[in-house]
Amino acid sequence: ASHSLLQAFKASKTAFGAWLTLPGTFHARTVAQASPLLSWIVVDCEHGLIPLVPGVAECTAAILGARPGGGPSTIVRIPATGVTASSSWQIKHALDGGAQGVLVPLVSTAAKAREVVSDCRFPPGGRRGFGSPFTHGTWGVSAAEYLKTANDNILVMVQIENKEAVENVQEIANVDGVDALFIGPYDLSISMGYPPPSPDPHPEMEQVMQKILNAAHAAGKKCAIFCTSGKQAAARAKQGFDMINVTSDTGAMSEAIASHLNAASEQ
Ligand code: 3PY
């Protein structure tokens, strides 16, 4: 089965999304149902409060909550970096939960990216194990159909967010099976010795981000970036980024409450 982010990628359309950091089925559903313009959500099990480890069920609940009969693609950001066995099993749990893709933080070499791809693919393309009785149901297909189509439909995304990753960016982009490079502007800035974005990154970081964007596109891959507002996201879309979040659940909640209070107290 296809899904909205994959369709946007295939049609070369900018895919806007949102970041989910708080756990719970209905919380996920509230975010997912916010707008038909929402193409994807990241279920953040790295810095968000949604437990993947040891709470596989929580991550699955968020995926299920976001996709009652379709809805935005769910991309799980797993806690650990690729390359070690410890992240292999996290990727397995995220995909067993029914995720349409994974986002792996701090992938800084092509070797790490290859490990991530292998974790996301059933043999012969990779080393993912098969056996969850639930996964295919979240995609609305039979187990046999899931096994046959998952390798083509699951999106593999790696975060480019440190100095080493920037040095290796073209080799990482060239790795077969990597669908998108995802810029983490906060970690990237800190790693390169700049202050974190507030809300825009330091002007000198722009060149680095352009290099990442160019590397992705030169390899025929997509490039994504983390944003904190619709305005920022629109500017990134203009620059040619393919996948951009407009806000996060917590950010949107606090901003909306503050803005309503401001409007109320101006009366
Ligand atoms: C970063 O900016 O470091 C991210 O990973 C986005 O959350």
Side-chain angles (χ1 to χ4, degrees), residues 19 46 77 159 161 184-188 226:
W19 218 259
E46 185 201 19
R77 179 156 78 165
Q159 283 202 261
E161 50 182 355
Y186 288 82
D187 276 322
L188 186 61
F226 182 89

Side-chain angles (χ1 to χ4, degrees), residues 45-264:
C45 301
E46 185 201 19
H47 292 303
L49 296 174
I50 302 159
L52 173 61
V53 187
V56 182
E58 285 280 357
C59 171
T60 307
I63 294 168
L64 290 174
R67 306 194 88 231
S73 307
T74 52
I75 309 300
V76 173
R77 179 156 78 165
I78 67 151
T81 310
V83 91
T84 61
S86 64
S87 67
S88 292
W89 67 266
Q90 292 168 19
I91 289 173
K92 175 152 55 187
H93 283 327
L95 294 178
D96 273 3
Q100 280 69 55
V102 294
L103 177 60
V104 182
L106 294 162
V107 173
S108 53
T109 65
K112 287 185 183 187
R114 276 192 289 273
E115 296 277 342
V116 170
V117 172
S118 182
D119 287 335
C120 293
R121 301 279 184 258
F122 292 123
R127 63 185 178 196
R128 180 181 172 198
F130 179 70
S132 160
F134 306 112
T135 316
H136 61 278
T138 66
W139 285 67
V141 296
S142 68
E145 179 69 10
Y146 180 75
L147 182 57
K148 212 163 68 188
T149 56
N151 283 5
D152 290 333
N153 292 337
I154 284 168
L155 293 170
V156 181
M157 308 187 210
V158 295
Q159 283 202 261
I160 304 296
E161 50 182 355
N162 61 25
K163 204 162 174 274
E164 190 187 13
V166 173
E167 280 157 16
N168 297 324
V169 69
Q170 194 61 63
E171 290 110 89
I172 297 172
N174 289 345
V175 169
D176 221 22
V178 166
D179 294 295
L181 304 184
F182 201 120
I183 299 177
Y186 288 82
D187 276 322
L188 186 61
S189 302
I190 296 165
S191 165
M192 311 232 10
Y194 290 100
S198 66
D200 292 323
H202 189 282
E204 283 176 30
M205 287 305 299
E206 287 301 327
Q207 270 180 346
V208 179
M209 295 187 191
Q210 194 62 47
K211 177 181 170 180
I212 299 168
L213 178 65
N214 292 344
H217 287 173
K221 307 298 176 64
K222 303 296 180 183
C223 198
I225 189 161
F226 182 89
C227 286
T228 51
S229 71
K231 191 169 159 239
Q232 213 179 38
R236 292 300 184 196
K238 227 182 216 171
Q239 289 177 331
F241 282 92
D242 307 287
M243 174 183 181
I244 311 156
N245 68 304
V246 295
T247 188
S248 65
D249 50 3
T250 45
M253 269 198 275
S254 342
E255 281 163 19
I257 292 168
S259 136
H260 285 302
L261 283 168
N262 285 343

